[in-house]
Amino acid sequence: MAISVGIEGLGFYLPSKILTNADLEKRVETSDEWIRTRTGIRERRIAAEGENTSDLAVGAAKMALAEAKLKPTDLDLILVATMTPDMPCPATSCIVQSKLGAPQAAAMDVAAACSGFVYGLVMGQQFVASGTYRHVLVVGAEVLSRVVDWTDRSTCVLFGDGAGAAILGQTSRGQILSTYLGSDGTKADLLKVPAGGVAVPASHQSVDERGHYLKMNGTEVFKHAVRAMSDACLKAIERAGIKPEQIACVIPHQANIRIIEAVVDRARMPLEKVYLNVDRYGNMSAASTIVAFCEAVRDGRVKKGDYALLVAFGAGLTWGSCVIRW
Ligand code: UT7
């Protein structure tokens, strides 16, 4: 009999420092009104100096372990989805393994930008379903505040820092019923950090050209996000063998309220079923979907027996979705 994979524990961690739209008005030529109406964002969290992606990941992981009633030494594998690793090498997951105190766990990072948590969930599911591992920690964690260009008003208002975690195991709670992943590398240029890899290694010139900061063609990304996420919603629902109206709560990647509205409109699902936190945290890339899922469960928006739909989209381009029965 196939092993069914569920969620043993959920957790999240958000830095305490809040950056409001009013604060941003003092930094760049923008307004609270523009940011709210074009994106839905009111404020975002910013990691403290010295607080790194691994620290946020450990905060989220500890909460998930406590909920699962597991010790760090129970973990068999740690997957950290991030586009803002502590450093290019080693993987942030190895740093998390050390900070958590989980020496027996294997560890690797997942590089799928904002879709990273959903990609990680699907990867972790395979290890549990095959019987290879019993407890897999999947984390989405980002410190985007250190890769955004604080002089570029078209991107710096959008992003925030945070982390969310799920522990996968052989349990019927939070059963992963269906998954769907996609990518389109021909659109890789639409959202990227151009320098710092081997194509454009760090140099005085790369720093002068601000090549280590995030660059985005917002309008193009917007269009692709709507199409890919609405299709992904329907794919996961179909694969779960249920009808769209059976979904109790939709948990989308939280990049922009207008994208979310367009996605549910195209997928013919009511906005009232969508869990939103983009107003409080902005776009936390790989952390967005999982933090929203944690909050939706905590707030009772996802109850026992409910079908929840997670859907994400990001640089790559990448996208992914899954239906979870809570
Ligand atoms: O996580 C997945 C990846 N990210 C996303 O999914 C984000 C996708 N894109 C978006 O959310 C939207 O495209 C943005 C919010 C980034 C931009 O919204 P838009 O409706 O596409 O605006 P736009 O880029 O077409 O810009 C409209 C105007 C421009 O001025 P002009 O050229 O019309 O005079 C911009 O210069 O708004 C200006 N603008 C701003 N004005 C005030 C851009 N950023 C700002 C700003 N404050 N922060």
Side-chain angles (χ1 to χ4, degrees), residues 146-321:
R146 298 204 196 123
V147 300
V148 299
D149 185 344
W150 290 103
T151 66
D152 174 12
R153 68 175 184 175
S154 70
T155 52
C156 76
V157 303
L158 304 173
F159 298 97
D161 304 336
I167 297 169
L168 305 182
Q170 297 178 24
T171 171
S172 55
R173 183 185 86 149
Q175 208 184 332
I176 302 168
L177 293 184
S178 70
T179 61
Y180 168 68
L181 300 176
S183 70
D184 180 2
T186 66
K187 311 277 184 322
D189 278 342
L190 295 181
L191 178 46
K192 62 181 179 182
V193 177
V198 295
V200 186
S203 66
H204 287 293
Q205 191 185 344
S206 71
V207 172
D208 290 345
E209 289 172 351
R210 311 185 80 74
H212 298 271
Y213 294 122
L214 196 71
K215 318 271 180 218
M216 177 169 69
N217 179 335
T219 313
E220 281 302 305
V221 171
F222 191 116
K223 280 191 276 187
H224 290 291
V226 172
R227 198 171 314 136
M229 281 207 284
S230 52
D231 289 349
C233 285
L234 299 175
K235 278 273 188 351
I237 290 169
E238 187 191 312
R239 288 183 181 186
I242 60 171
K243 297 195 174 62
E245 48 276 24
Q246 288 178 268
I247 298 288
C249 189
V250 184
I251 294 115
H253 175 51
Q254 313 269 328
N256 184 325
I257 184 69
R258 289 160 51 224
I259 295 179
I260 294 169
E261 285 166 355
V263 165
V264 289
D265 183 56
R266 199 164 175 268
R268 298 186 191 290
M269 304 217 273
L271 191 60
E272 302 77 66
K273 283 192 176 177
V274 178
Y275 187 83
L276 294 169
N277 63 14
V278 64
D279 55 329
R280 289 176 285 135
Y281 308 133
N283 181 350
M284 299 185 289
S285 187
S288 272
T289 335
I290 178 60
V291 170
F293 187 52
C294 293
E295 290 191 336
V297 171
R298 185 197 61 186
D299 296 354
R301 289 285 303 272
V302 176
K303 293 187 267 309
K304 192 171 186 289
D306 278 354
Y307 292 105
L309 169 63
L310 269 61
V311 61
F313 174 89
L317 303 173
T318 56
W319 55 89
S321 54

